[in-house]
Amino acid sequence: MAESNARAAIIDGKAFAAGLVERVAAASARLEAAHGLKPGLAVVIVGEDPASQIYVRNKGETTARAGMRSDTHRLPDTTSQAELLALVETLNADAGIHGILVQLPLPAQIDSSAVLGAIDPDKDVDGFHVVNAGRLAVGLPGLVPCTPLGSTMLLKDRLGDLSGLNAVIVGRSNIVGKPMAQLLLAENCTVTIAHSRSRDLPALCRAADILVAAVGRPEMIRGDWIKPGATVIDVGINRVPSADPVKAAEGKTRVVGDVAFAEAVTVAGAITPVPGGVGPMTIACLLANTYTAACRAAGVAPEPLDA
């Protein structure tokens, strides 16, 4: 049998995210014009983690570009848990702030669970609070974790109606795997959550019309694990040594996903690249959640933000 030269369509998360930010900005402007309400996002960062600093700066710039109020609180790494909880309580009570995000990781002296649990669930734009997890599980309106929300948007944009499709999610984290399963169930998919203890993982993956890789292991999902024509969402962001031996010897790295892209792109029907796939959707969905939270705080129905 002759080999096919077909390659998967590349799902451009960067372009979709840019469009989503534009739609959020337009909807926020209409909300402010009609109700005098400007959506507000407060981001809290503790310490000097370089990656977190870059991420927080990007969030602030994108929030301001969308015409929203953007507050950033930078605290020293000596901040106590009590001090951080006091700030969260102040932000909970601030009527001009509709979304609160505490950047992780936090210094060792602070219990992340306690801090995340102290955020008002209606302002929890990361969607990590147990109340929002419960709302998602039972189908009530809530705030949904940004990465699964963005992944679902990309899938619906690519495939349209997802009803009846077999979806396999590799990874069972509270941040991606579990909420992704809930979102796909809500879209009437048949959902399997696979993980490190799953038997014959390649066979499970081969049954998937939709394959979501969120396991945190570089290039674990091989090309021959993928059903021909399947849609692959690669959530992984892993740093590995550069493919160039000289650069690798100098300590240079490259970013890869959880899927072996070069193999998968010859089998799948569509696939998200890393970088440029799911990653850009995270900040865009954070703004979408902030807009939604502002609308709900005012008793206004949020506008649909899908493309």
Side-chain angles (χ1 to χ4, degrees):
M1 182 183 295
E3 282 192 20
S4 170
N5 291 321
R7 285 173 63 85
I10 305 301
I11 299 173
D12 190 343
K14 188 174 181 181
F16 189 98
L20 178 57
V21 170
E22 288 180 3
R23 293 193 294 278
V24 170
S28 296
R30 287 188 287 270
L31 179 67
E32 186 172 7
H35 301 278
L37 182 65
K38 180 191 285 284
L41 173 64
V43 177
V44 181
I45 180 168
V46 184
E48 301 295 331
D49 179 74
S52 294
Q53 292 284 346
I54 293 169
Y55 195 41
V56 165
R57 185 173 69 247
N58 288 343
K59 285 174 182 172
E61 290 172 353
T62 309
T63 305
R65 201 161 59 242
M68 294 180 169
R69 173 180 168 183
S70 175
D71 291 4
T72 301
H73 299 263
R74 300 181 185 276
L75 305 178
D77 56 13
T78 54
T79 299
S80 69
Q81 181 167 312
E83 289 170 326
L84 181 52
L85 288 171
L87 174 58
V88 168
E89 195 56 42
T90 299
L91 295 173
N92 282 340
D94 186 340
I97 292 296
H98 306 98
I100 302 169
L101 183 147
V102 177
Q103 182 68 37
L104 302 178
L106 292 169
Q109 75 272 15
I110 299 176
D111 179 354
S112 299
S113 296
V115 173
L116 296 179
I119 297 172
D120 180 344
D122 293 332
K123 296 188 177 188
D124 165 41
V125 285
D126 255 340
F128 294 164
H129 197 287
V130 66
V131 168
N132 281 320
R135 288 169 176 167
L136 179 60
V138 299
L140 291 175
L143 294 168
V144 179
C146 298
T147 300
L149 178 60
S151 297
T152 304
M153 286 182 176
L154 292 177
L155 283 168
K156 291 171 71 175
D157 182 64
R158 173 69 194 174
L159 299 173
D161 184 9
L162 306 182
S163 294
L165 296 179
N166 286 329
V168 174
I169 301 159
V170 186
R172 52 180 168 178
S173 73
N174 293 331
I175 294 172
V176 180
K178 291 176 184 176
M180 190 80 224
Q182 299 290 352
L183 288 169
L184 291 177
L185 282 171
E187 296 295 333
N188 300 309
C189 292
T190 301
V191 179
T192 300
I193 300 181
H195 46 78
S196 60
R197 300 293 179 88
S198 297
R199 294 182 179 177
D200 200 353
L201 182 57
L204 287 174
C205 292
R206 287 186 201 108
D209 302 307
I210 296 169
L211 180 60
V212 180
V215 71
R217 291 179 57 185
E219 300 183 328
M220 186 183 101
I221 309 295
R222 312 309 303 186
D224 62 3
W225 295 21
I226 296 169
K227 177 181 181 179
T231 301
V232 179
I233 301 292
D234 190 350
V235 178
I237 300 176
N238 309 286
R239 287 208 166 271
V240 299
S242 171
D244 183 324
V246 175
K247 291 182 178 178
E250 295 172 349
K252 299 289 177 61
T253 61
R254 60 191 172 101
V255 175
V256 300
D258 290 349
V259 177
F261 183 85
E263 298 175 11
V265 77
T266 66
V267 183
I271 187 169
T272 56
V274 178
V278 174
M281 293 296 294
T282 303
I283 293 179
C285 287
L286 180 69
L287 300 189
N289 277 348
T290 302
Y291 163 75
T292 298
C295 289
R296 289 174 179 162
V300 176
E303 297 179 23
L305 295 172
D306 288 347

